[in-house]
Coordinates of all heavy atoms in Angstrom, one line a residue:
G1 N 2.9 4.5 13.2 CA 1.8 3.8 12.7 C 1.5 2.5 13.5 O 2.3 2.1 14.3
I2 N 0.4 1.9 13.2 CA 0.0 0.6 13.8 C 0.1 -0.4 12.7 O -0.5 -0.3 11.6 CB -1.4 0.7 14.3 CG1 -1.5 1.9 15.3 CG2 -1.8 -0.6 14.9 CD1 -3.0 2.3 15.6
I3 N 0.9 -1.5 13.0 CA 1.1 -2.5 11.9 C 0.5 -3.8 12.4 O 0.6 -4.1 13.6 CB 2.6 -2.6 11.6 CG1 2.8 -3.5 10.4 CG2 3.4 -3.1 12.8 CD1 4.2 -3.5 9.8
G4 N 0.0 -4.6 11.5 CA -0.5 -5.9 11.8 C -0.5 -6.8 10.5 O -0.5 -6.3 9.4
R5 N -0.4 -8.0 10.7 CA -0.4 -9.0 9.6 C -1.8 -9.1 9.1 O -2.7 -9.4 9.9 CB 0.2 -10.3 10.1 CG 0.4 -11.3 9.0 CD 1.1 -12.5 9.4 NE 1.3 -13.4 8.3 CZ 1.8 -14.6 8.4 NH1 2.2 -15.1 9.6 NH2 2.0 -15.4 7.4
Y6 N -2.0 -9.0 7.8 CA -3.3 -9.0 7.2 C -3.6 -10.4 6.7 O -4.8 -10.8 6.6 CB -3.4 -8.0 6.1 CG -4.8 -7.8 5.5 CD1 -5.8 -7.3 6.3 CD2 -5.0 -8.0 4.2 CE1 -7.1 -7.1 5.8 CE2 -6.2 -7.8 3.6 CZ -7.3 -7.3 4.4 OH -8.5 -7.1 3.9
G7 N -2.6 -11.2 6.3 CA -2.8 -12.5 5.8 C -1.6 -12.9 4.9 O -1.2 -12.1 4.1
G8 N -1.1 -14.1 5.1 CA 0.0 -14.6 4.2 C 1.1 -13.6 4.4 O 1.7 -13.4 5.4
D9 N 1.6 -13.1 3.2 CA 2.7 -12.1 3.3 C 2.2 -10.7 3.2 O 3.0 -9.8 2.8 CB 3.7 -12.5 2.1 CG 3.0 -12.3 0.8 OD1 1.8 -12.1 0.7 OD2 3.8 -12.4 -0.2
E10 N 1.0 -10.4 3.6 CA 0.4 -9.1 3.5 C 0.3 -8.5 4.9 O 0.0 -9.1 5.9 CB -0.9 -9.1 2.9 CG -0.9 -9.5 1.4 CD -2.2 -9.5 0.7 OE1 -3.2 -9.1 1.4 OE2 -2.3 -9.9 -0.4
F11 N 0.7 -7.2 5.0 CA 0.6 -6.5 6.3 C -0.2 -5.2 6.0 O -0.2 -4.6 4.9 CB 2.0 -6.1 6.8 CG 2.8 -7.4 7.2 CD1 3.5 -8.1 6.2 CD2 2.8 -7.8 8.5 CE1 4.2 -9.2 6.6 CE2 3.5 -8.9 8.8 CZ 4.2 -9.6 7.9
V12 N -0.8 -4.7 7.1 CA -1.5 -3.4 7.0 C -0.8 -2.5 8.0 O -0.5 -2.8 9.1 CB -3.0 -3.6 7.5 CG1 -3.7 -2.3 7.6 CG2 -3.7 -4.5 6.5
I13 N -0.6 -1.2 7.6 CA -0.1 -0.2 8.5 C -1.2 0.9 8.5 O -1.5 1.4 7.4 CB 1.2 0.4 8.0 CG1 2.3 -0.7 7.9 CG2 1.7 1.5 9.0 CD1 3.6 -0.2 7.2
L14 N -1.6 1.3 9.7 CA -2.6 2.4 9.8 C -1.8 3.6 10.3 O -1.0 3.5 11.3 CB -3.7 2.0 10.8 CG -4.5 0.8 10.5 CD1 -5.4 0.4 11.6 CD2 -5.3 1.0 9.2
F15 N -2.1 4.7 9.7 CA -1.5 6.0 10.1 C -2.7 6.9 10.5 O -3.2 7.6 9.7 CB -0.7 6.6 9.0 CG 0.5 5.8 8.5 CD1 0.5 5.4 7.2 CD2 1.5 5.5 9.3 CE1 1.6 4.7 6.7 CE2 2.6 4.8 8.9 CZ 2.7 4.4 7.6
P16 N -3.1 6.8 11.8 CA -4.3 7.6 12.2 C -4.0 9.1 12.1 O -2.9 9.5 12.4 CB -4.5 7.2 13.7 CG -3.7 5.9 13.9 CD -2.6 5.9 12.9
D17 N -5.0 9.8 11.7 CA -4.8 11.3 11.5 C -3.6 11.7 10.8 O -2.9 12.7 11.1 CB -4.8 11.9 12.9 CG -6.1 11.6 13.7 OD1 -7.2 11.7 13.1 OD2 -6.0 11.3 14.9
C18 N -3.3 11.0 9.7 CA -2.2 11.3 8.9 C -2.6 11.7 7.5 O -3.3 11.0 6.8 CB -1.3 10.0 8.8 SG 0.2 10.2 7.8
P19 N -2.2 12.9 7.0 CA -2.6 13.3 5.6 C -2.0 12.4 4.6 O -1.0 11.7 4.8 CB -2.0 14.7 5.5 CG -1.4 15.1 6.8 CD -1.4 13.9 7.7
E20 N -2.6 12.4 3.4 CA -2.2 11.5 2.3 C -0.7 11.7 2.0 O 0.0 10.7 1.8 CB -3.1 11.7 1.1 CG -2.7 10.8 -0.1 CD -3.6 11.1 -1.2 OE1 -4.8 11.5 -1.1 OE2 -3.2 10.8 -2.4
E21 N -0.3 12.9 1.9 CA 1.1 13.2 1.5 C 2.1 12.6 2.5 O 3.1 12.0 2.1 CB 1.3 14.7 1.4 CG 2.7 15.1 0.9 CD 2.8 16.6 0.7 OE1 2.0 17.2 0.0 OE2 3.8 17.1 1.3
E22 N 1.8 12.7 3.8 CA 2.6 12.1 4.8 C 2.6 10.6 4.8 O 3.7 10.0 5.0 CB 2.2 12.6 6.2 CG 3.0 12.1 7.4 CD 4.5 12.5 7.4 OE1 4.8 13.5 6.8 OE2 5.3 11.8 8.0
A23 N 1.5 10.0 4.6 CA 1.4 8.6 4.5 C 2.2 8.1 3.3 O 3.0 7.1 3.4 CB -0.1 8.1 4.3
C24 N 2.1 8.7 2.2 CA 3.0 8.4 1.0 C 4.5 8.5 1.3 O 5.3 7.6 1.0 CB 2.6 9.2 -0.2 SG 1.0 8.9 -0.9
H25 N 4.8 9.5 2.0 CA 6.2 9.7 2.4 C 6.7 8.6 3.3 O 7.8 8.0 3.1 CB 6.4 11.1 3.1 CG 7.8 11.2 3.8 ND1 8.9 11.5 3.0 CD2 8.2 11.1 5.0 CE1 9.9 11.6 3.8 NE2 9.5 11.4 5.1
R26 N 5.9 8.2 4.3 CA 6.2 7.1 5.2 C 6.4 5.8 4.5 O 7.3 5.0 4.7 CB 5.2 7.0 6.3 CG 5.2 8.1 7.3 CD 4.1 8.0 8.3 NE 4.1 9.2 9.2 CZ 3.3 9.2 10.3 NH1 2.5 8.2 10.6 NH2 3.3 10.3 11.0
V27 N 5.5 5.5 3.5 CA 5.6 4.3 2.8 C 6.8 4.3 1.9 O 7.5 3.3 1.7 CB 4.3 4.0 2.0 CG1 4.4 2.8 1.1 CG2 3.1 3.8 3.0
R28 N 7.1 5.4 1.2 CA 8.3 5.5 0.4 C 9.6 5.2 1.3 O 10.5 4.5 0.8 CB 8.4 6.9 -0.2 CG 7.7 7.0 -1.5 CD 8.0 8.3 -2.2 NE 6.8 8.8 -2.8 CZ 6.0 9.8 -2.3 NH1 6.4 10.4 -1.2 NH2 5.0 10.2 -2.8
E29 N 9.6 5.8 2.5 CA 10.7 5.5 3.4 C 10.8 4.0 3.8 O 11.9 3.4 3.8 CB 10.5 6.4 4.7 CG 11.6 6.2 5.7 CD 13.0 6.6 5.2 OE1 13.2 7.3 4.2 OE2 14.0 6.2 5.9
L30 N 9.6 3.4 4.0 CA 9.6 1.9 4.3 C 10.2 1.2 3.1 O 11.0 0.3 3.3 CB 8.2 1.5 4.6 CG 8.0 0.0 4.8 CD1 8.7 -0.4 6.1 CD2 6.5 -0.3 4.9
H31 N 9.8 1.5 1.9 CA 10.3 0.9 0.7 C 11.9 1.0 0.6 O 12.6 0.1 0.4 CB 9.7 1.5 -0.6 CG 8.4 1.0 -1.0 ND1 8.3 0.2 -2.1 CD2 7.2 1.1 -0.4 CE1 7.0 -0.2 -2.2 NE2 6.3 0.4 -1.2
R32 N 12.3 2.2 0.9 CA 13.8 2.5 0.9 C 14.5 1.6 1.9 O 15.5 1.0 1.6 CB 14.1 4.0 1.2 CG 15.5 4.3 1.0 CD 15.8 5.7 1.5 NE 15.7 5.9 2.9 CZ 16.6 5.4 3.8 NH1 17.6 4.7 3.4 NH2 16.4 5.6 5.1
R33 N 14.0 1.6 3.1 CA 14.7 0.8 4.1 C 14.6 -0.7 3.8 O 15.6 -1.4 4.1 CB 14.0 1.1 5.5 CG 14.4 2.4 6.0 CD 13.8 2.6 7.4 NE 14.1 4.0 7.8 CZ 14.1 4.3 9.1 NH1 13.7 3.5 10.0 NH2 14.4 5.5 9.5
V34 N 13.5 -1.2 3.3 CA 13.4 -2.6 3.0 C 14.4 -3.0 1.9 O 14.9 -4.1 1.9 CB 11.9 -3.0 2.7 CG1 11.9 -4.4 2.1 CG2 11.1 -2.9 3.9
K35 N 14.6 -2.1 0.9 CA 15.5 -2.4 -0.2 C 16.9 -2.6 0.3 O 17.7 -3.3 -0.3 CB 15.5 -1.2 -1.1 CG 14.4 -1.2 -2.1 CD 15.1 -1.4 -3.5 CE 14.2 -1.4 -4.6 NZ 14.1 -2.6 -5.2
E36 N 17.2 -2.1 1.5 CA 18.6 -2.3 2.1 C 18.7 -3.7 2.7 O 19.8 -4.1 2.9 CB 18.8 -1.2 3.1 CG 18.9 0.2 2.6 CD 19.0 1.3 3.7 OE1 18.9 0.9 4.8 OE2 19.1 2.4 3.3
I37 N 17.6 -4.4 2.9 CA 17.7 -5.7 3.5 C 17.9 -6.7 2.4 O 17.3 -6.7 1.4 CB 16.3 -6.0 4.2 CG1 16.1 -5.0 5.3 CG2 16.4 -7.5 4.8 CD1 14.7 -5.1 5.9
K38 N 18.9 -7.6 2.7 CA 19.2 -8.7 1.8 C 19.1 -10.0 2.5 O 19.6 -10.1 3.6 CB 20.5 -8.5 1.1 CG 20.7 -7.3 0.3 CD 21.4 -7.5 -0.9 CE 21.8 -6.3 -1.6 NZ 20.8 -5.7 -2.4
I39 N 18.4 -11.0 2.0 CA 18.3 -12.3 2.5 C 18.9 -13.3 1.5 O 18.4 -13.4 0.4 CB 16.9 -12.7 2.9 CG1 16.4 -11.8 4.0 CG2 16.8 -14.2 3.4 CD1 14.9 -12.0 4.3
K40 N 20.0 -13.9 1.8 CA 20.7 -14.8 0.9 C 20.9 -14.1 -0.5 O 20.6 -14.6 -1.5 CB 19.9 -16.1 0.7 CG 19.8 -16.9 1.9 CD 19.0 -18.2 1.6 CE 18.9 -19.0 2.9 NZ 18.2 -20.3 2.7
D41 N 21.5 -12.9 -0.4 CA 21.8 -12.1 -1.5 C 20.6 -11.7 -2.5 O 20.8 -11.4 -3.6 CB 22.9 -12.7 -2.4 CG 24.2 -12.8 -1.6 OD1 24.5 -11.9 -0.8 OD2 25.0 -13.8 -1.7
E42 N 19.4 -11.8 -1.9 CA 18.2 -11.5 -2.7 C 17.6 -10.2 -2.1 O 17.5 -10.1 -0.9 CB 17.2 -12.6 -2.8 CG 17.7 -13.8 -3.6 CD 16.7 -14.8 -3.8 OE1 15.5 -14.4 -3.9 OE2 17.0 -16.0 -3.8
E43 N 17.2 -9.4 -2.9 CA 16.4 -8.2 -2.4 C 15.0 -8.5 -2.1 O 14.4 -9.4 -2.8 CB 16.5 -7.1 -3.5 CG 17.8 -6.4 -3.7 CD 17.7 -5.2 -4.6 OE1 16.6 -4.8 -5.0 OE2 18.8 -4.7 -4.9
I44 N 14.5 -7.9 -1.2 CA 13.1 -8.0 -0.8 C 12.3 -6.8 -1.5 O 12.8 -5.7 -1.5 CB 12.8 -8.0 0.7 CG1 13.6 -9.1 1.4 CG2 11.4 -8.0 1.0 CD1 13.6 -9.0 2.9
C45 N 11.2 -7.1 -2.1 CA 10.4 -6.0 -2.7 C 9.1 -5.9 -2.0 O 8.6 -6.9 -1.4 CB 10.3 -6.2 -4.2 SG 9.1 -7.5 -4.7
I46 N 8.5 -4.7 -2.1 CA 7.2 -4.4 -1.5 C 6.3 -3.8 -2.5 O 6.7 -3.0 -3.3 CB 7.4 -3.4 -0.3 CG1 8.3 -3.8 0.8 CG2 6.0 -3.0 0.2 CD1 8.5 -2.8 1.8
S47 N 5.1 -4.3 -2.6 CA 4.1 -3.7 -3.4 C 3.1 -3.2 -2.4 O 2.5 -3.9 -1.6 CB 3.4 -4.8 -4.3 OG 4.4 -5.3 -5.2
S48 N 2.9 -1.8 -2.5 CA 2.0 -1.1 -1.5 C 0.8 -0.5 -2.2 O 0.8 -0.1 -3.3 CB 2.8 0.0 -0.9 OG 4.0 -0.5 -0.3
G49 N -0.2 -0.5 -1.4 CA -1.5 0.2 -1.7 C -1.9 1.1 -0.6 O -1.8 0.7 0.5
I50 N -2.3 2.3 -1.0 CA -2.6 3.3 0.0 C -4.1 3.8 -0.3 O -4.4 4.1 -1.4 CB -1.7 4.5 0.0 CG1 -0.3 4.1 0.4 CG2 -2.2 5.7 0.9 CD1 0.7 5.2 0.4
S51 N -4.9 3.8 0.8 CA -6.2 4.4 0.7 C -6.3 5.3 1.9 O -5.9 5.0 3.0 CB -7.3 3.3 0.8 OG -8.5 3.9 0.6
V52 N -6.9 6.5 1.7 CA -7.0 7.5 2.7 C -8.4 8.0 2.9 O -9.1 8.4 1.9 CB -6.1 8.7 2.3 CG1 -6.1 9.8 3.4 CG2 -4.6 8.3 2.1
F53 N -8.9 7.9 4.1 CA -10.2 8.4 4.4 C -10.1 9.9 4.9 O -9.2 10.2 5.7 CB -10.9 7.6 5.6 CG -12.2 8.2 6.1 CD1 -13.3 7.9 5.3 CD2 -12.2 8.9 7.2 CE1 -14.5 8.5 5.8 CE2 -13.4 9.4 7.7 CZ -14.6 9.2 6.9
P54 N -10.8 10.8 4.4 CA -11.9 10.7 3.3 C -11.4 11.0 1.9 O -12.2 11.1 1.0 CB -12.9 11.7 3.8 CG -12.1 12.8 4.4 CD -10.9 12.1 5.0
N55 N -10.1 11.2 1.7 CA -9.6 11.6 0.4 C -9.9 10.7 -0.7 O -10.4 11.1 -1.7 CB -8.1 11.8 0.5 CG -7.6 12.9 1.4 OD1 -8.2 13.1 2.5 ND2 -6.6 13.6 1.1
T56 N -9.6 9.4 -0.6 CA -9.8 8.4 -1.6 C -10.9 7.5 -1.3 O -11.3 6.7 -2.2 CB -8.5 7.7 -2.0 OG1 -8.1 6.9 -0.8 CG2 -7.3 8.6 -2.3
C57 N -11.3 7.5 -0.1 CA -12.3 6.5 0.4 C -13.4 7.2 1.2 O -13.0 7.8 2.3 CB -11.6 5.4 1.2 SG -12.7 4.2 1.9
N58 N -14.6 7.2 0.8 CA -15.7 7.9 1.5 C -16.2 7.2 2.7 O -16.7 7.8 3.6 CB -16.8 8.2 0.5 CG -16.5 9.1 -0.6 OD1 -15.6 10.0 -0.4 ND2 -17.1 8.9 -1.7
N59 N -16.0 5.9 2.7 CA -16.6 5.1 3.8 C -15.4 4.4 4.5 O -14.7 3.6 3.9 CB -17.6 4.1 3.3 CG -18.3 3.3 4.4 OD1 -17.8 3.2 5.6 ND2 -19.4 2.7 4.1
P60 N -15.2 4.7 5.8 CA -14.0 4.1 6.5 C -14.1 2.6 6.5 O -13.0 1.9 6.6 CB -14.0 4.7 7.9 CG -15.4 5.3 8.1 CD -15.9 5.6 6.7
R61 N -15.2 2.0 6.4 CA -15.3 0.5 6.3 C -14.7 -0.1 5.1 O -14.4 -1.2 5.0 CB -16.8 0.1 6.4 CG -17.4 0.3 7.7 CD -18.8 -0.1 7.8 NE -19.6 0.7 8.6 CZ -20.9 0.8 8.6 NH1 -21.6 0.0 7.9 NH2 -21.5 1.6 9.4
D62 N -14.6 0.8 4.0 CA -14.0 0.3 2.7 C -12.5 0.5 2.6 O -11.9 0.1 1.6 CB -14.7 1.0 1.6 CG -16.2 0.6 1.5 OD1 -16.6 -0.5 1.9 OD2 -17.0 1.4 0.9
I63 N -11.9 1.1 3.6 CA -10.5 1.6 3.4 C -9.6 0.4 3.2 O -8.7 0.5 2.3 CB -10.1 2.4 4.6 CG1 -8.8 3.2 4.2 CG2 -9.8 1.6 5.8 CD1 -8.5 4.4 5.1
L64 N -9.8 -0.7 3.8 CA -8.9 -1.9 3.6 C -9.2 -2.5 2.2 O -8.2 -3.0 1.6 CB -9.1 -3.0 4.7 CG -8.4 -2.7 6.0 CD1 -8.8 -3.8 7.1 CD2 -6.9 -2.6 5.9
I65 N -10.4 -2.5 1.8 CA -10.7 -3.1 0.5 C -10.0 -2.3 -0.6 O -9.4 -2.8 -1.5 CB -12.3 -3.1 0.3 CG1 -13.0 -4.0 1.2 CG2 -12.6 -3.4 -1.2 CD1 -14.5 -3.9 1.3
Y66 N -10.1 -0.9 -0.5 CA -9.5 -0.1 -1.5 C -8.0 -0.1 -1.4 O -7.3 -0.1 -2.5 CB -10.0 1.3 -1.4 CG -11.5 1.5 -1.7 CD1 -12.2 2.6 -1.3 CD2 -12.2 0.5 -2.4 CE1 -13.6 2.8 -1.6 CE2 -13.5 0.7 -2.8 CZ -14.2 1.8 -2.4 OH -15.5 1.9 -2.7
A67 N -7.4 -0.2 -0.2 CA -6.0 -0.3 -0.1 C -5.5 -1.6 -0.7 O -4.5 -1.6 -1.4 CB -5.6 -0.2 1.4
N68 N -6.3 -2.7 -0.5 CA -5.9 -4.0 -1.1 C -6.0 -3.9 -2.6 O -5.1 -4.5 -3.3 CB -6.8 -5.0 -0.5 CG -6.3 -6.4 -0.9 OD1 -5.2 -6.7 -0.7 ND2 -7.2 -7.3 -1.3
M69 N -7.0 -3.2 -3.1 CA -7.0 -3.1 -4.6 C -5.9 -2.3 -5.1 O -5.3 -2.7 -6.2 CB -8.4 -2.5 -5.0 CG -9.6 -3.4 -4.7 SD -11.1 -2.6 -5.1 CE -11.2 -3.0 -6.8
A70 N -5.5 -1.3 -4.4 CA -4.3 -0.5 -4.9 C -3.0 -1.3 -4.8 O -2.2 -1.2 -5.7 CB -4.2 0.8 -4.0
M71 N -2.9 -2.1 -3.8 CA -1.8 -3.0 -3.6 C -1.8 -4.0 -4.8 O -0.7 -4.3 -5.4 CB -1.8 -3.7 -2.3 CG -0.6 -4.6 -2.0 SD -0.8 -6.4 -2.4 CE -2.4 -6.8 -1.7
R72 N -2.9 -4.6 -5.1 CA -3.0 -5.5 -6.2 C -2.6 -4.8 -7.5 O -1.9 -5.4 -8.4 CB -4.4 -6.1 -6.3 CG -4.6 -7.2 -5.3 CD -5.9 -8.0 -5.3 NE -6.7 -7.8 -6.5 CZ -8.0 -7.8 -6.5 NH1 -8.7 -7.8 -5.3 NH2 -8.7 -7.6 -7.6
Y73 N -3.0 -3.6 -7.7 CA -2.6 -2.8 -8.9 C -1.1 -2.7 -8.9 O -0.5 -2.9 -10.0 CB -3.2 -1.4 -8.8 CG -2.9 -0.6 -10.1 CD1 -3.8 -0.7 -11.2 CD2 -1.8 0.2 -10.1 CE1 -3.5 0.1 -12.3 CE2 -1.6 1.0 -11.3 CZ -2.4 0.9 -12.3 OH -2.2 1.7 -13.4
S74 N -0.4 -2.4 -7.8 CA 1.0 -2.4 -7.7 C 1.6 -3.7 -8.2 O 2.6 -3.7 -8.9 CB 1.5 -2.0 -6.3 OG 1.2 -0.7 -6.0
K75 N 1.1 -4.8 -7.7 CA 1.6 -6.1 -8.0 C 1.4 -6.4 -9.5 O 2.3 -7.0 -10.1 CB 0.9 -7.2 -7.2 CG 1.4 -7.3 -5.8 CD 0.7 -8.5 -5.1 CE 1.3 -8.7 -3.7 NZ 0.7 -9.8 -3.0
Q76 N 0.3 -6.0 -10.1 CA 0.0 -6.3 -11.5 C 0.8 -5.4 -12.4 O 0.9 -5.7 -13.6 CB -1.5 -6.1 -11.8 CG -2.3 -7.1 -11.1 CD -3.8 -6.8 -11.2 OE1 -4.2 -5.8 -11.7 NE2 -4.7 -7.7 -10.7
N77 N 1.4 -4.3 -11.9 CA 2.0 -3.3 -12.8 C 3.5 -3.1 -12.4 O 4.0 -2.0 -12.3 CB 1.3 -2.0 -12.7 CG -0.1 -2.1 -13.4 OD1 -0.2 -2.1 -14.6 ND2 -1.1 -2.3 -12.6
G78 N 4.2 -4.2 -12.2 CA 5.6 -4.1 -12.0 C 6.2 -4.4 -10.7 O 7.4 -4.5 -10.5
K79 N 5.3 -4.6 -9.7 CA 5.8 -4.9 -8.3 C 6.7 -3.8 -7.8 O 7.1 -2.9 -8.5 CB 6.4 -6.3 -8.2 CG 5.4 -7.4 -8.6 CD 6.1 -8.7 -8.4 CE 5.1 -9.8 -8.7 NZ 5.7 -11.1 -8.6
D80 N 7.0 -4.0 -6.5 CA 8.0 -3.1 -5.9 C 7.7 -1.6 -6.1 O 8.6 -0.8 -6.4 CB 9.4 -3.4 -6.3 CG 10.4 -2.9 -5.3 OD1 10.1 -2.8 -4.1 OD2 11.6 -2.7 -5.6
C81 N 6.4 -1.3 -6.0 CA 6.0 0.1 -6.1 C 4.8 0.4 -5.2 O 4.3 -0.5 -4.6 CB 5.6 0.4 -7.6 SG 4.3 -0.5 -8.3
M82 N 4.4 1.7 -5.2 CA 3.3 2.1 -4.3 C 2.2 2.7 -5.2 O 2.5 3.5 -6.1 CB 3.8 3.2 -3.4 CG 2.8 3.8 -2.5 SD 3.5 5.1 -1.5 CE 3.8 6.4 -2.7
T83 N 1.0 2.4 -4.9 CA -0.2 2.9 -5.7 C -1.1 3.5 -4.7 O -1.5 2.9 -3.7 CB -0.9 1.8 -6.5 OG1 0.1 1.2 -7.4 CG2 -2.0 2.3 -7.2
V84 N -1.6 4.7 -5.0 CA -2.6 5.4 -4.2 C -4.0 5.1 -4.8 O -4.2 5.2 -6.0 CB -2.4 6.9 -4.1 CG1 -3.5 7.6 -3.3 CG2 -1.0 7.2 -3.4
D85 N -4.9 4.7 -4.0 CA -6.3 4.3 -4.4 C -6.9 5.4 -5.2 O -6.7 6.6 -4.9 CB -7.1 4.0 -3.1 CG -8.6 3.9 -3.4 OD1 -8.9 3.2 -4.3 OD2 -9.3 4.6 -2.6
S86 N -7.7 5.0 -6.2 CA -8.5 6.0 -7.0 C -9.5 5.2 -7.7 O -9.3 4.0 -7.9 CB -7.6 6.8 -7.9 OG -7.2 6.0 -9.0
P87 N -10.6 5.8 -8.2 CA -11.5 5.1 -9.1 C -10.9 4.4 -10.3 O -11.2 3.3 -10.7 CB -12.5 6.1 -9.5 CG -12.5 7.1 -8.4 CD -11.0 7.2 -8.0
I88 N -9.9 5.1 -10.9 CA -9.2 4.5 -12.0 C -8.5 3.2 -11.7 O -8.5 2.2 -12.4 CB -8.2 5.6 -12.6 CG1 -9.0 6.7 -13.2 CG2 -7.3 4.9 -13.7 CD1 -8.1 7.9 -13.5
V89 N -7.8 3.2 -10.5 CA -7.1 2.0 -10.0 C -8.1 0.9 -9.8 O -7.8 -0.2 -10.2 CB -6.2 2.4 -8.8 CG1 -5.8 1.1 -8.1 CG2 -5.1 3.3 -9.1
R90 N -9.2 1.2 -9.1 CA -10.2 0.2 -8.8 C -10.7 -0.4 -10.1 O -10.9 -1.6 -10.2 CB -11.3 0.8 -8.0 CG -10.9 1.1 -6.6 CD -12.1 1.7 -5.8 NE -11.6 2.8 -5.1 CZ -12.3 3.9 -4.9 NH1 -13.5 4.0 -5.3 NH2 -11.8 5.0 -4.3
N91 N -11.0 0.4 -11.1 CA -11.5 -0.1 -12.3 C -10.5 -1.0 -13.1 O -10.8 -2.0 -13.6 CB -12.0 1.0 -13.2 CG -13.3 1.6 -12.8 OD1 -14.1 1.0 -12.1 ND2 -13.5 2.9 -13.1
A92 N -9.2 -0.6 -13.0 CA -8.2 -1.3 -13.7 C -8.0 -2.7 -13.0 O -7.8 -3.7 -13.7 CB -6.9 -0.6 -13.6
V93 N -8.1 -2.8 -11.7 CA -8.0 -4.0 -11.0 C -9.2 -4.9 -11.3 O -9.0 -6.1 -11.5 CB -7.8 -3.8 -9.5 CG1 -7.9 -5.1 -8.7 CG2 -6.5 -3.1 -9.2
K94 N -10.4 -4.4 -11.3 CA -11.6 -5.2 -11.5 C -11.6 -5.8 -12.9 O -12.1 -6.8 -13.2 CB -12.8 -4.3 -11.4 CG -13.1 -4.0 -9.9 CD -14.3 -3.1 -9.8 CE -14.6 -2.6 -8.4 NZ -15.7 -1.7 -8.3
M95 N -11.0 -5.1 -13.9 CA -11.0 -5.5 -15.3 C -10.0 -6.7 -15.5 O -10.2 -7.4 -16.5 CB -10.6 -4.3 -16.2 CG -11.6 -3.2 -16.2 SD -11.1 -1.8 -17.1 CE -11.3 -2.3 -18.8
K96 N -9.0 -6.8 -14.7 CA -8.0 -7.9 -14.9 C -8.5 -9.2 -14.3 O -9.2 -9.3 -13.4 CB -6.7 -7.6 -14.3 CG -6.0 -6.5 -15.1 CD -4.6 -6.3 -14.7 CE -4.0 -5.2 -15.6 NZ -2.6 -5.2 -15.5

């Protein structure tokens, strides 16, 4: 994948030509590996959001917006988890 800092403590990973199932697998693996990292005896947690064109996002220009909303959903619902973009997730984030 291609990784870049999105802002603050947020990062974006692009998986070109990667099916949704494979993207989810890769993010789960990232979560697992990060859990093994300890800084001053504290665990690091990741809240992830996934959006996949064209599965969950019809317009590639919106993919970051929808991935960010899915990530916010993860943060609002327990942190340290992964959420795949959907209309239900978008509506839940907009309502809060």
